[in-house]
Amino acid sequence: MSALLNFDNVTSYYGATRILKDVSFDLEDGQCLCVLGRNGVGKTTLMRTIMGLTDRSTGAIRVNGAEIGGKPPHQRAPYGIGYVPQGRGILSDFTVRENILLGTFARADKAPEIPEICLRIFPYLKDNLERRAGLLSGGQKQQLAIARALAVGPKILLLDEPTEGIQPNIVHEIGEILKMLNKELGISLILTEQHIKVARKLGDAFLMVDNGRVVARGPIAEMTDELVERHMTI
C-alpha cells in the first residue's frame, strides 16, 4: 500500500491558539483510520485541518504527493476528499435532491447529476428526493450527509462522529455502509469515533489523540483496553 494522505508535523490554529500540535500520520490507500480520544482534544480540528477550515496551519498536508496545505477549502475537494462534518451540516430547507447535488459542485468533472452510487446505497433517499431534508430523522440525515460527500466522487472520506446521536440499530446500518464503501469500493476512510466497538469493527489502524497530540498509534489490534481506559475514560 502507498500513502494516499500524508500529515507531516502539522500544527493547526484557531486565532493564536494551537489546537493540533506537530501531528504526523499517513493514511494508506484503501485503509480505514480511526481517530479516537476524549471530547475536546482536537479530533474535529484534525478533520477541519484536512479540509482547510481552521484559521491557519503549518507543516505539510499531501494527497497523492501533492501539497494541499496552502490551498483554500474549495480547492481541496477536487483532490478527492469528501467530508461529513460533526452535526452533519444538512440544509434543512433544501430537498434531499438539492442537498446531494451540493456535493457535485466539488467534483473534478463538475457532473451536475446525482451519482448512481448515492441512490443505490440509500434506497430511502432515492424514494424521497423531493422531501425537505429538515423532515428526516437523525439516521436519515446522516445517510444524506454521507450521500452528499459521496457525490464529490471521493478517494478519501472524512467522517466526524458518524454514529453520534443515532439509535443503535441505525449505528449498525451506518457501520455496514461504511465497511462496504471501504472494503468493497476501496474508498479510504478517516473517522473520529466515540464508539470503541465501531472503531474496532471498521478500523485497520488508529490514532489516539490527547491535548492536540498523537499519543498512540498502530494497527487496530494494538488498541488495547488499557489505552482506551487511559485516553478515553472521563
Side-chain angles (χ1 to χ4, degrees):
M1 290 195 296
S2 58
L4 181 58
L5 173 73
N6 170 253
F7 245 48
D8 189 5
N9 288 319
V10 174
T11 296
S12 195
Y13 297 80
Y14 289 120
T17 304
R18 286 193 311 160
I19 306 297
L20 285 190
K21 302 161 187 172
D22 300 314
V23 170
S24 297
F25 69 89
D26 288 339
L27 174 71
E28 305 295 341
D29 193 8
Q31 188 177 47
C32 177
L33 175 67
C34 294
V35 180
L36 300 118
R38 297 182 185 90
N39 287 331
V41 298
K43 302 188 304 297
T44 292
T45 299
L46 187 150
M47 304 293 242
R48 290 176 60 84
T49 300
I50 296 171
M51 296 304 299
L53 296 171
T54 61
D55 290 341
R56 68 184 179 96
S57 66
T58 60
I61 305 171
R62 303 183 191 92
V63 176
N64 273 330
E67 171 62 50
I68 67 166
K71 295 182 182 295
H74 69 276
Q75 291 182 10
R76 298 193 187 197
Y79 282 85
I81 307 172
Y83 181 40
V84 180
Q86 190 173 29
R88 304 178 190 112
I90 295 302
L91 298 180
S92 296
D93 290 335
F94 281 38
T95 65
V96 168
R97 181 192 302 277
E98 290 166 337
N99 270 278
I100 299 174
L101 286 173
L102 285 174
T104 67
F105 296 158
R107 290 179 67 90
D109 62 9
K110 307 295 184 187
E113 67 257 351
I114 296 175
E116 184 271 337
I117 184 177
C118 300
L119 304 180
R120 176 163 55 87
I121 293 174
F122 300 114
Y124 176 84
L125 301 182
K126 180 181 180 180
D127 293 340
N128 291 272
L129 287 172
E130 308 313 321
R131 187 172 174 82
R132 196 163 63 82
L135 301 175
L136 303 184
S137 70
Q140 290 160 354
K141 286 178 180 175
Q142 187 63 290
Q143 290 183 9
L144 180 54
I146 295 171
R148 181 184 58 195
L150 287 175
V152 174
K155 301 183 186 77
I156 302 168
L157 192 57
L158 312 177
L159 301 111
D160 195 0
E161 302 282 5
T163 62
E164 182 180 45
I166 296 175
Q167 60 199 61
N169 62 317
I170 305 298
V171 167
H172 175 76
E173 183 180 325
I174 295 288
E176 289 299 308
I177 288 165
L178 296 181
K179 185 176 180 180
M180 183 271 292
L181 293 175
N182 180 226
K183 301 307 179 194
E184 295 180 28
L185 299 184
I187 299 172
S188 302
L189 305 182
I190 301 179
L191 57 104
T192 69
E193 190 50 75
Q194 292 291 334
H195 285 80
I196 299 302
K197 285 183 179 179
V198 173
R200 284 182 166 142
K201 180 178 179 182
L202 295 178
D204 300 305
F206 77 98
L207 292 180
M208 194 72 74
V209 178
D210 204 348
N211 193 28
R213 298 184 187 276
V214 175
V215 293
R217 74 180 77 210
I220 202 74
E222 294 179 7
M223 189 176 73
T224 62
D225 291 342
E226 189 271 334
L227 266 179
V228 170
E229 180 83 17
R230 191 191 318 165
H231 297 293
M232 294 192 69
T233 304
I234 298 171

